[in-house]
Amino acid sequence: MSSPGKATVETENGRRADRTVALTGATGFLGSHLLIRLLERGCHVVALGRRDEHAVARSLALALRSAGAGESTLARIPGQVTPVRIDLGRPRLGLPEMRYRQLADTVSAVWHCAALTTLNGDPDALHLANVEGTRRVLEWTESGARRPHLHHISTAFVAGRRSHGVIPEERLPAHGGFVTPYEESKHRAEELVHAWAAAAGRGATVYRPSVLLSARRALPRAPRHTYAVLAAKMALVLRQLGVAAPGSAGRGTGAPVHVRLLGNPEATVNLLAVQDAVTSMLCLADRATGRPGVAVHHVVHPHDTPVSLVNAAIERTVPGLRLSLVTERDDPTDLERGLDAYGVEVTAYLGLHRTYARAVPADLERRRVTDFPRPIDSAYLDAALAPPTHLPRVPHAPHAPNGQAAPTPRG
């Protein structure tokens, strides 16, 4: 893979710019979809990650193929991606000082996508990854001479326990508290971005995506979205309980397992296709002014999805499972208690009735600069929850950094 250099890029609104982009989290679910678009734009991408260059080459090929990248896009990896091994827990990202500053001098934009996304994870681990990791990225962004614009991926759930009303696209106070340690860590990271921009006189854009999905079936061992992981966990639990799908040859009673989830039967959740999220973020990025200060944008669907629709899709994906939303529940089963404690992906936000301001994305849609997000209906949810597909044969594997063919990822 090549050394960082300048790339002249045609942006989606017709402007041209020299663009070498730093990207953290390139092998993650959102990061891999974003990387595809950056490569297609002709950007040179400095991929900052925890693994060595050989491991990054393999992970990138798998993540991008799973995200839908074609052979022509995969062929861009050797010439347009420079993997750099870093440690977000160490000063200077664990790099020698000269290399640290040299890298900062090469980039004109920094996309910080890397995060620990376990909603109910260990608070110390979440703080280390999401807060201190952001602090290290900010320090590095400030160390170079080019003053790159920072694009920080946050989450719509930094709104915490605010259950009603419209969440504004602005800096949010923390006095309402948070539902999970994850969203608290992301709120603290946002606070760091605001403080850094004010102190250094720098420009930053904060994107707050909602729950992102993909209707494309993931490859084994590739990153997957939250609800796909949740459906897989539920299917595993049912198998462990000996519940077989109706008509299957497996062992088990075949009797459905009824799980009562605490929440409003009319609850909704904001779901958005990851491809639409990336399109929106890149369009917003093209319009970043470069002036000091922080612009905040909600990257969300204009219409919420009823949780009942999601539950019905999970039931179709996991035969033998029945889900219902109840406001009260006597004598919870062990499975229900387990979901309350560990299945926060499905239970944490069942009482929300809030909406999100999205002024600029809505204006871009009205003016047909971008398309309206695709609908999240039953057909889309069925596709989004489908289990991983088999890994196809790879006729020409991308080359590793030393010029030798990288091993084909295994499913």
Side-chain angles (χ1 to χ4, degrees):
M1 296 187 186
S2 60
S3 300
K6 289 186 178 180
T8 302
V9 179
E10 183 77 32
T11 63
E12 291 184 357
N13 66 352
R15 295 184 300 171
R16 301 184 68 84
D18 289 332
R19 185 75 59 84
T20 296
V21 177
L23 173 63
T24 68
T27 58
F29 178 67
L30 172 59
S32 59
H33 284 85
L34 177 59
L35 178 57
I36 289 174
R37 294 289 297 277
L38 292 173
L39 293 177
E40 291 173 349
R41 283 173 157 220
C43 292
H44 190 102
V45 180
V46 179
L48 304 173
R50 298 176 299 168
R51 302 175 182 176
D52 62 45
E53 294 183 358
H54 296 277
V56 168
R58 294 191 296 271
S59 297
L60 282 176
L62 174 60
L64 267 61
R65 188 179 294 277
S66 184
E71 293 300 326
S72 61
T73 301
L74 293 171
R76 294 174 178 265
I77 295 176
Q80 288 179 232
V81 178
T82 299
V84 178
R85 188 176 189 175
I86 63 168
D87 185 344
L88 288 175
R90 296 178 59 190
R92 297 196 310 271
L93 305 177
L95 297 171
E97 184 170 356
M98 183 174 295
R99 176 67 166 155
Y100 178 78
R101 297 186 184 280
Q102 178 193 46
L103 276 174
D105 284 339
T106 67
V107 300
S108 57
V110 176
W111 285 85
H112 182 37
C113 292
L116 181 60
T117 59
T118 308
L119 297 189
N120 206 29
D122 175 59
D124 291 337
L126 286 163
H127 180 86
L128 181 63
N130 298 344
V131 183
E132 295 306 318
T134 298
R135 191 190 308 276
R136 298 297 187 196
V137 170
L138 293 173
E139 291 170 350
W140 175 69
T141 303
E142 193 174 354
S143 69
R146 294 190 70 181
R147 296 174 65 86
H149 190 86
L150 175 72
H151 301 274
H152 176 74
I153 308 299
S154 184
T155 172
F157 296 99
V158 294
R161 294 187 180 277
R162 297 168 178 84
S163 60
H164 295 77
V166 179
I167 307 302
E169 294 177 297
E170 60 187 40
R171 191 172 186 175
L172 296 174
H175 57 70
F178 300 94
V179 179
T180 69
Y182 163 73
E183 63 194 38
E184 182 174 7
S185 71
K186 295 297 286 183
H187 183 275
R188 290 178 178 174
E190 269 198 29
E191 288 295 290
L192 286 180
V193 173
H194 282 280
W196 169 80
R202 298 290 293 273
T205 305
V206 170
Y207 307 90
R208 292 178 181 162
S210 58
V211 181
L212 302 181
L213 308 177
S214 173
R216 181 181 176 83
R217 295 181 72 175
L219 298 177
R221 300 186 184 179
R224 303 173 68 191
H225 60 83
T226 296
Y227 277 101
V229 173
L230 174 65
K233 286 180 180 178
M234 288 184 164
L236 177 61
V237 168
L238 261 62
R239 286 198 298 271
Q240 292 173 339
L241 291 175
V243 177
S248 71
R251 295 180 179 179
T253 64
V257 173
H258 183 203
V259 176
R260 299 163 297 170
L261 302 174
L262 286 174
N264 190 316
E266 305 300 319
T268 60
V269 61
N270 195 283
L271 306 177
L272 181 68
V274 65
Q275 296 89 343
D276 294 334
V278 169
T279 296
S280 180
M281 288 190 292
L282 287 174
C283 198
L284 292 166
D286 289 342
R287 286 155 177 76
T289 64
R291 293 192 292 268
V294 179
V296 179
H297 300 289
H298 283 129
V299 182
V300 300
H301 203 285
H303 305 293
D304 286 349
T305 301
V307 172
S308 58
L309 199 69
V310 180
N311 287 349
I314 293 175
E315 291 175 353
R316 291 190 294 273
T317 304
V318 188
L321 179 67
R322 295 294 178 268
L323 300 173
S324 62
L325 288 170
V326 297
T327 54
E328 296 181 355
R329 184 183 61 196
D330 296 327
D331 300 322
T333 66
D334 290 341
L335 179 56
E336 289 169 342
R337 280 194 291 266
L339 277 175
D340 290 345
Y342 303 107
V344 226
E345 298 94 339
V346 74
T347 61
Y349 304 106
L350 296 183
L352 298 183
H353 297 277
R354 68 193 185 202
T355 57
Y356 303 93
R358 54 190 303 274
V360 179
D363 179 64
L364 294 175
E365 291 158 9
R366 281 193 299 268
R367 293 191 288 114
R368 301 303 175 97
V369 177
T370 59
D371 293 331
F372 287 92
R374 68 203 70 190
I376 306 297
D377 54 17
S378 293
Y380 185 91
L381 289 169
D382 286 344
L385 295 176
T389 187
H390 293 293
L391 186 68
R393 290 176 60 85
V394 183
H396 301 290
H399 289 282
N402 61 2
Q404 297 178 351
T408 300
R410 295 182 178 179

